[in-house]
Amino acid sequence: MINLKKNSQISLEKNGEDFKHICIGLDWGVINKKSFFGLFNDKESVDLDGSVTMFDTKKKEKDTVYYRKLVSNDKAIRHSGDDRVGDSSADNKDNEVIYIDLQKVSADVDTIVFYLNSFKQQDFSDIPYSKIRIIEGEHHNPNKVFASYDLSGDSSFKGFTSMVMAKMNRAPGGRWTFTAIGEPIEAKDIAGTIKVIREKYL
């Protein structure tokens, strides 16, 4: 498995063969809070929304898949649905999964961007961990993780409730590359995030 770092880029291929299907797994934990003079631990559920937006070469938004639209117009991208809780302990399961059939992505799509928004405007620095994983194949199988990238949980995310996680670009010849980003942004919702992505990340 490849452990990605910020701004690192990989080709979505293995042994010279391009991937046809991948799953993007999103994983995050609940917020642990002390109560009653620190004697007890309370767990606060975390409702993060993982979304993906497709753009053409002119930075025009072609389609967005999120919790209210689970399948892209070209049927290439499918979302597993909204998780409003998070994990109470670290595990090998993903809270939300985005399935991508790379063969079906519309020919005019040049860039695919993945991002997270905190629905309840919870500060990312309070969330103990959030991760993004690339899994080979059309089925979500944690035993086939190709690459992983750890996201929030440090002071640089303090005061932010949205982040750009990663992007995929169509390279010459049709091969896709994946770039880890993991940057907090000044946005409150999906619409605001798309605006920032068009200005800064395309």
Side-chain angles (χ1 to χ4, degrees):
M1 182 182 73
I2 302 171
N3 290 309
L4 297 172
K5 296 182 179 180
K6 187 174 180 178
N7 296 322
S8 58
Q9 185 182 93
I10 56 173
S11 293
L12 295 181
E13 57 89 17
K14 190 174 182 180
N15 300 324
E17 294 289 330
D18 294 340
F19 290 157
K20 294 181 173 62
H21 299 87
I22 61 168
C23 301
I24 303 295
L26 311 177
D27 186 22
W28 64 85
V30 300
I31 296 172
N32 294 305
K33 287 191 171 184
K34 295 285 187 180
S35 64
F36 196 68
F37 303 103
L39 297 177
F40 302 99
N41 284 324
D42 280 345
K43 294 186 182 298
E44 179 182 327
S45 63
V46 175
D47 184 1
L48 298 184
D49 295 327
S51 306
V52 53
T53 297
M54 309 158 84
F55 299 89
D56 65 15
T57 56
K58 297 180 180 179
K59 301 184 180 182
K60 179 181 178 181
E61 177 190 350
K62 301 299 295 182
D63 200 3
T64 293
V65 174
Y66 66 117
Y67 65 94
R68 287 183 177 170
K69 184 186 179 185
L70 300 180
V71 181
S72 62
N73 294 333
D74 59 13
K75 312 300 181 186
I77 299 178
R78 180 166 51 91
H79 195 299
S80 64
D82 194 13
D83 184 305
R84 301 178 182 179
V85 179
D87 291 333
S88 58
S89 61
D91 56 26
N92 198 35
K93 299 178 181 178
D94 293 312
N95 299 84
E96 295 181 4
V97 182
I98 297 168
Y99 303 86
I100 305 178
D101 184 340
L102 296 171
Q103 304 167 104
K104 290 184 177 180
V105 176
S106 295
D108 57 350
V109 171
D110 177 72
T111 306
I112 301 174
V113 184
F114 306 91
Y115 50 95
L116 277 177
N117 300 103
S118 175
F119 185 80
K120 296 189 288 187
Q121 300 299 296
Q122 291 164 302
D123 196 310
F124 273 121
S125 65
D126 293 331
I127 300 170
Y129 66 87
S130 56
K131 304 174 183 179
I132 181 171
R133 306 194 295 178
I134 306 171
I135 296 170
E136 299 176 54
E138 60 184 312
H139 302 293
H140 182 255
N141 184 347
N143 294 322
K144 291 189 175 183
V145 175
F146 176 68
S148 180
Y149 181 40
D150 289 343
L151 295 159
S152 65
D154 61 56
S155 59
S156 68
F157 286 83
K158 187 173 182 58
F160 293 93
T161 59
S162 296
M163 76 163 81
V164 177
M165 296 184 293
K167 66 179 180 179
M168 287 169 46
N169 290 94
R170 196 193 298 265
R175 175 168 290 176
W176 289 91
T177 60
F178 182 96
T179 303
I181 298 174
E183 290 185 357
I185 60 171
E186 293 283 358
K188 297 296 183 183
D189 53 22
I190 290 175
T193 301
I194 292 173
K195 183 176 184 293
V196 173
I197 290 171
R198 292 181 65 185
E199 293 171 349
K200 186 177 179 181
Y201 294 96
L202 300 181

